[in-house]
Amino acid sequence: MADQRPGAPDGAARTDHPDEHRVEVVERGSFSFALCSCGWFAPGRRSRDKSRRDAAGHLPETGAEVA
């Protein structure tokens, strides 16, 4: 099965603070995804609000901030 995880917007992993969690919501076509610098990701959603809630759900585990 193909890897369906969304890639980083610029195709590169963050290296400035590898231990720091940074969550962002990115859009790809009609879908949005919540992604974290730790490698965590949420499934694609048509609702941006659901993607933001997915990202917010990752915050208590890590203390990350939503971009």
Side-chain angles (χ1 to χ4, degrees):
M1 181 190 310
D3 184 2
Q4 297 180 1
R5 291 179 291 175
D10 60 1
R14 284 186 55 181
T15 58
D16 53 347
H17 297 286
D19 295 332
E20 177 184 321
H21 289 263
R22 177 124 175 108
V23 178
E24 61 183 325
V25 175
V26 296
E27 295 183 23
R28 183 162 300 148
S30 60
F31 290 89
S32 60
F33 301 86
L35 303 171
C36 183
S37 61
C38 73
W40 172 89
F41 66 96
R45 308 280 192 183
R46 288 191 183 269
S47 167
R48 289 175 192 87
D49 187 49
K50 281 188 179 182
S51 291
R52 285 190 290 270
R53 282 185 278 177
D54 289 340
H58 185 61
L59 292 176
E61 300 170 9
T62 65
E65 59 184 69
V66 177

